[in-house]
Amino acid sequence: MAFKRQPILALLIVGCVLFILHKCIFPPLPPPFENEDHAQAVPSQQHFSWNKMIMQYPPTSTISLPKGSHAFIPKVQYNFGQEGRREKNERKGRQDAVAKSFQRSWETYQRYAWLKDEVNPVSGESKNAFGGWAATAVDGLDTLWIMNMKREFEETVDALKTIDFSTTRQTKISVFETTIRFLGGLLGAYDVSEGQYPALLEKAVEVGDMLYAAFDTPNRMPVAHWDLKFKARLQTKTEGQESENQQMASLTTPLADLGSLTLEFTRLSQLTNDPKYFDAVQRVTDELEKAQNKTRLPGMWPTIVDAERLIFDLGGTFTLGGMSDSVYEYFPKQYILLGGRKQQYRDLYENSFQTFKNLFYRPMTPTNQDILLPGDIKVYRTGSSSLVPKSQHLSCFTGGMVGLAAKAFDRQNDMETARRLVDGCIWAYESMPSGIMPEKFENLPCTDVSGCEWNQEEWETKRINEAIPPGFVKVDDGRYLLRPEAIESVFVLYRLTGDKMYQDKAWNMFLAIEEQTKTNLAYSAIADVTRPMSEKLANMESFWFAETLKYFYLIFSEPDLVSLDEFVLNTEAHPFRRSQQ
């Protein structure tokens, strides 16, 4: 029987060898949500269509999109003339350089992290921080179209058809981030490609229906950090489920998470003729309007609000920076998107402007530059208040917002304020050794926004260390996270004024970012802009594709590419087509 066992033994040995080789050559794939500890997917039997969800708290009536004639909104873009050959060649050369940086980043994402949320720009590892729904692919989709990368665009559209928005391995998702990146990205790609790809709108509806479920609370305010698996499980409950199974809005909700969903939900209603999405966000706006003049700083809302009990005067910190920013940004943009048919949004902006203009301070600089920066205001329970001269990269959107509203609302006196705010962020870039503005910093404010003389002794006394450049006293957070807000406002002011100085400033900003953040694979956030060639933080968020490189590309494009008279850009730079009727 030995002759019969030998072939069997040989086969077993060969099989073992092949198995070992297979494991070596094709190692096991890492968990697809490797940064989500102890996360569990929704059980397969709970996969369902969100539009079939049974509401616990359905609205008793529906607020429809405003109808009637289109209100007159002045042209906002500068009337650009014919450019010379030399100007055109220089502009095109700069634009091509930006496109190459985008292509390099995109190829790295495709190669190492395709359909994951992000790619590590240092190691090439993938990670999922936004539901595992291919955040970079969705967020960067309309930029592909804008940069004429049509083949990559169509490949991505086909790939996104496989994304399942009924499940995630994350415990909770951010409704705000999912709205601006995913819903905004799909709608922007659909609009900028002129509706040629119906699958994009179909996918946007899928995302919109999922997010709409986050509004199913007793007061119809959305859950900011939402457990969609909990909501899915509720569908298996019988009527009369106990109160602990109710979905409630949060007692501590960042203002931006509550009030920065209007553009995306409104555009979805416009494209689908389904008013439920607009109804959802309009109810939030109505609550903000009721509370606007009842906070500690009338005209503005604090960074944290109680969305469950609709209490808006709990906090005393008021800012145009993180956790608040896009609420104010969306007021004029929503007015424009609705064709001026909803005066409420213009009123909300103009009322808030009368207050938040008091946050602007003029930093003391060696050359007494005529610039402004947005700070914070602290209001105490006693009623007293103080300006805090701290600024953020996030708040650099302000100049573009003020400029756009100045044009759209014919508030021409505000254009000078917009210029000074944009120039302030440019100054912050140019002042740092790396040529890049830090995440957060503090200055010595002039007592009067009209100016003040440089005081070397006071500055030397108050700066925390010798590495701090003149005009700054402290860098609270020296990172640069590949953020877009400064170039966003530089782009907007260029399109509004036609001043080519902004193109030159943008080019210098781009060169600094290119030099300081470049890795062997792509581009990375860095640790400290006060030092040249700082440590790479191995992070490249999807807004690098959606916003930062898009704005750099558009400032060097022909002005009719994504014209501000034809599109409204959401806070993630996704272009929504304006109504022309």
Side-chain angles (χ1 to χ4, degrees):
M1 296 295 292
F3 70 95
K4 291 185 178 179
R5 294 194 191 101
Q6 287 176 352
I8 295 173
L9 182 61
L11 286 172
L12 287 172
I13 293 172
V14 170
C16 291
V17 171
L18 288 174
F19 178 80
I20 293 169
L21 286 172
H22 180 273
K23 287 294 184 182
C24 293
I25 298 172
F26 304 104
L29 291 173
F33 297 87
E34 55 207 45
N35 63 317
E36 297 159 7
D37 296 336
H38 310 298
Q40 297 293 322
V42 179
S44 59
Q45 67 268 23
Q46 292 187 12
H47 290 205
F48 62 97
S49 296
W50 287 102
N51 64 355
K52 297 179 180 177
M53 187 194 71
I54 300 171
M55 287 281 176
Q56 285 183 284
Y57 306 101
T60 56
S61 62
T62 301
I63 304 172
S64 298
L65 284 164
K67 298 178 181 178
S69 59
H70 192 294
F72 173 73
I73 299 176
K75 187 177 184 292
V76 299
Q77 276 210 170
Y78 179 77
N79 187 21
F80 290 87
Q82 192 76 22
E83 65 180 337
R85 180 180 298 178
R86 171 183 272 180
E87 288 178 316
K88 182 176 181 179
N89 288 340
E90 180 180 57
R91 176 181 62 76
K92 287 293 293 178
R94 292 172 172 181
Q95 187 183 50
D96 289 344
V98 175
K100 287 179 181 177
S101 295
F102 180 91
Q103 290 162 1
R104 184 171 185 268
S105 303
W106 186 261
E107 288 168 3
T108 294
Y109 171 68
Q110 272 195 314
R111 180 177 180 182
Y112 294 100
W114 184 235
L115 297 188
K116 300 295 193 296
D117 284 340
E118 296 171 4
V119 63
N120 182 316
V122 175
S123 68
E125 295 174 324
S126 65
K127 65 176 180 178
N128 287 305
F130 297 99
W133 296 317
T136 293
V138 178
D139 226 2
L141 188 55
D142 53 26
T143 310
L144 289 171
W145 183 273
I146 289 167
M147 292 190 181
N148 203 31
M149 297 172 64
K150 302 296 173 59
R151 178 179 59 82
E152 292 86 348
F153 178 90
E154 291 184 344
E155 289 174 352
T156 307
V157 171
D158 285 341
L160 293 179
K161 295 174 184 176
T162 66
I163 301 297
D164 180 6
F165 288 101
S166 75
T167 183
T168 178
R169 288 177 180 255
Q170 282 186 211
T171 303
K172 294 182 179 181
I173 65 164
S174 165
V175 169
F176 167 69
E177 295 291 354
T178 306
T179 298
I180 66 171
R181 299 188 195 219
F182 291 93
L183 183 55
L186 292 164
L187 292 171
Y190 180 81
D191 269 351
V192 80
S193 62
E194 300 182 330
Q196 297 179 47
Y197 301 86
L200 292 172
L201 183 56
E202 293 169 8
K203 221 55 180 166
V205 169
E206 186 179 333
V207 178
D209 285 339
M210 175 190 68
L211 293 167
Y212 183 72
F215 288 79
D216 188 23
T217 63
N219 63 3
R220 300 299 299 170
M221 295 298 107
V223 182
H225 292 88
W226 181 48
D227 184 352
L228 62 86
K229 291 172 287 184
F230 171 78
K231 186 60 182 173
R233 287 195 298 271
L234 286 183
Q235 297 303 294
T236 66
K237 302 289 184 181
T238 59
E239 291 186 9
Q241 56 250 45
E242 297 180 4
S243 60
E244 59 264 26
N245 288 324
Q246 292 180 340
Q247 179 173 270
M248 310 289 287
S250 175
L251 295 169
T252 54
T253 300
L255 177 65
D257 286 13
L258 180 66
S260 304
L261 314 173
T262 49
L263 288 179
E264 298 80 5
F265 276 68
T266 297
R267 187 59 186 147
L268 188 58
S269 277
Q270 290 176 334
L271 289 170
T272 62
N273 293 316
D274 187 340
K276 73 177 185 181
Y277 311 108
F278 176 74
D279 171 89
V281 292
Q282 185 58 42
R283 291 174 187 275
V284 175
T285 300
D286 290 343
E287 295 299 334
L288 290 174
E289 183 183 41
K290 292 176 190 176
Q292 185 172 30
N293 294 317
K294 298 177 181 178
T295 67
R296 293 191 200 175
L297 188 65
M300 296 183 72
W301 302 265
T303 54
I304 299 294
V305 299
D306 181 344
E308 181 183 334
R309 297 177 295 173
L310 297 176
I311 300 175
F312 294 87
D313 62 351
L314 293 177
T317 300
F318 298 82
T319 182
L320 291 169
M323 297 197 296
S324 294
D325 42 7
S326 45
V327 165
Y328 302 98
E329 173 193 357
Y330 272 23
F331 291 148
K333 290 183 174 182
Q334 176 78 341
Y335 179 87
I336 295 170
L337 185 64
L338 289 171
R341 297 182 182 92
K342 193 76 173 170
Q343 179 68 23
Q344 176 190 35
Y345 288 95
R346 176 171 179 169
D347 292 343
L348 283 165
Y349 171 79
E350 292 182 332
N351 291 339
S352 63
F353 178 85
Q354 294 306 312
T355 300
F356 68 62
K357 67 181 181 181
N358 297 309
L359 277 65
F360 304 155
Y361 66 93
R362 181 167 178 167
M364 185 176 71
T365 65
T367 57
N368 194 22
Q369 288 177 264
D370 186 16
I371 58 177
L372 294 173
L373 290 168
D376 299 343
I377 284 183
K378 293 278 190 181
V379 183
Y380 306 99
R381 293 189 180 277
T382 59
S384 62
S385 63
S386 61
L387 174 69
V388 182
K390 294 183 177 183
S391 201
Q392 308 176 30
H393 199 291
L394 281 167
S395 63
C396 274
F397 83 95
T398 306
M401 172 188 67
V402 172
L404 180 65
K407 288 284 190 176
F409 299 154
D410 197 22
R411 299 169 57 96
Q412 293 306 313
N413 291 339
D414 294 346
M415 277 303 298
E416 183 58 27
T417 300
R419 284 180 178 271
R420 295 171 74 191
L421 287 164
V422 175
D423 289 349
C425 291
I426 292 172
W427 168 79
Y429 265 74
E430 294 176 340
S431 298
M432 288 292 153
S434 63
I436 304 175
M437 177 183 183
E439 182 78 353
K440 296 179 182 179
F441 57 89
E442 300 177 31
N443 309 94
L444 282 176
C446 295
T447 55
D448 191 328
V449 293
S450 62
C452 60
E453 295 299 319
W454 174 250
N455 187 323
Q456 182 77 14
E457 182 178 352
E458 182 181 9
W459 171 68
E460 290 180 348
T461 300
K462 293 187 176 180
R463 65 174 175 167
I464 63 166
N465 62 59
E466 294 184 357
I468 303 297
F472 299 80
V473 294
K474 184 179 180 182
V475 174
D476 301 281
D477 186 344
R479 295 175 300 165
Y480 173 62
L481 303 178
L482 303 178
R483 287 204 186 277
E485 292 78 19
I487 183 56
E488 171 186 348
S489 283
V490 172
F491 158 74
V492 172
L493 261 287
Y494 169 68
R495 287 289 185 90
L496 299 181
T497 67
D499 190 339
K500 294 186 181 299
M501 175 271 292
Y502 291 116
Q503 286 185 313
D504 294 333
K505 297 297 185 181
W507 180 240
N508 292 335
M509 292 164 64
F510 173 75
L511 291 177
I513 293 170
E514 172 83 12
E515 178 184 32
Q516 299 293 325
T517 69
K518 193 171 186 178
T519 70
N520 289 333
L521 296 176
Y523 300 88
S524 171
I526 56 177
D528 186 2
V529 298
T530 66
R531 295 183 291 109
M533 307 313 293
S534 174
E535 173 194 358
K536 303 294 190 298
L537 297 178
N539 192 45
M540 182 172 64
E541 282 207 44
S542 64
F543 55 64
W544 171 247
F545 300 83
E547 301 184 74
T548 310
L549 291 176
K550 182 186 291 167
Y551 283 126
F552 275 118
Y553 186 85
L554 286 175
I555 199 171
F556 301 123
S557 74
E558 293 82 356
D560 60 349
L561 181 61
V562 191
S563 166
L564 298 182
D565 289 316
E566 298 177 7
F567 291 92
V568 173
L569 278 70
N570 85 332
T571 198
E572 196 78 1
H574 296 306
F576 300 160
R577 195 170 293 277
R578 291 173 52 177
S579 169
Q580 301 300 319
Q581 299 178 354

